[in-house]
Amino acid sequence: ILCGLIGLASATANSGAYLGLEVGAANQSINFNQSAFNLNTSNSSVVNSQWNGIGRLYSGYNFNRYTGLEAGVSYTFPTGYNYPDNNGSFFSPATVVDVSYVPMLPIAYSNWSVFGRIGVGYAWLPGGSSSQYNSSGSNLTDVLGAGLRYKFSNHWTYKIEWVADGLLFPVGINSGSTTVGSWSQQTFQTGVSFHF
């Protein structure tokens, strides 16, 4: 029985290099620092969340059916956020380059596997302008995720996943020397991978 379970579990493995593409939806959050806009004397923030589309191109290498490494670049389409003092808006796309460790757990008697990701990314937010502010942001940030993968063949897999950028360490948004807020996003993506 144990040999049979191991054999079935290995049916979900696609060891070696792969290349893939995902698309989906991103919920970007901007936390504006109210004190930067002279709205009060505290350091409280105003949270603004918006949905938009995202695309991600990635490549990776699975060492075996349990572990792998993956690198990718994602682009989230521009989203507008009004400044708390109504003096313009922060309107920006987001680009994240990431590297992740990907642990996997095959599901016996199926071609499905559960996977997670933990890694680091670098995010760029080119920024938006108004009469008073010229804001932008870029910094290292955390990358976390989890999902399901289905093996169609030795060369093709399908996956659906949740990926968060900046969930623990949001990216600061600055206008000159003033920190006006911070950025993070949670995404839901689906796509296919080609395994060489």
Side-chain angles (χ1 to χ4, degrees), residues 40-125:
N40 58 32
T41 58
S42 72
N43 288 322
S44 62
S45 59
V46 176
V47 179
N48 294 262
S49 295
Q50 301 278 351
W51 286 93
N52 213 330
I54 186 172
R56 183 172 179 266
L57 180 65
Y58 59 90
S59 64
Y61 190 90
N62 290 334
F63 300 106
N64 51 48
R65 64 181 180 269
Y66 299 115
T67 61
L69 290 176
E70 187 174 291
V73 58
S74 65
Y75 178 83
T76 306
F77 290 94
T79 304
Y81 306 88
N82 293 327
Y83 289 118
D85 62 359
N86 295 316
N87 187 10
S89 63
F90 180 77
F91 185 77
S92 180
T95 302
V96 179
V97 175
D98 63 82
V99 177
S100 302
Y101 169 69
V102 181
M104 295 168 283
L105 180 62
I107 300 173
Y109 299 103
S110 76
N111 285 335
W112 289 95
S113 60
V114 178
F115 67 90
R117 74 171 60 250
I118 181 168
V120 63
Y122 195 91
W124 286 273
L125 302 130

Side-chain angles (χ1 to χ4, degrees), residues 132-143:
Q132 266 189 318
Y133 311 106
N134 186 12
S135 304
S136 63
S138 61
N139 208 348
L140 287 171
T141 190
D142 57 285
V143 178

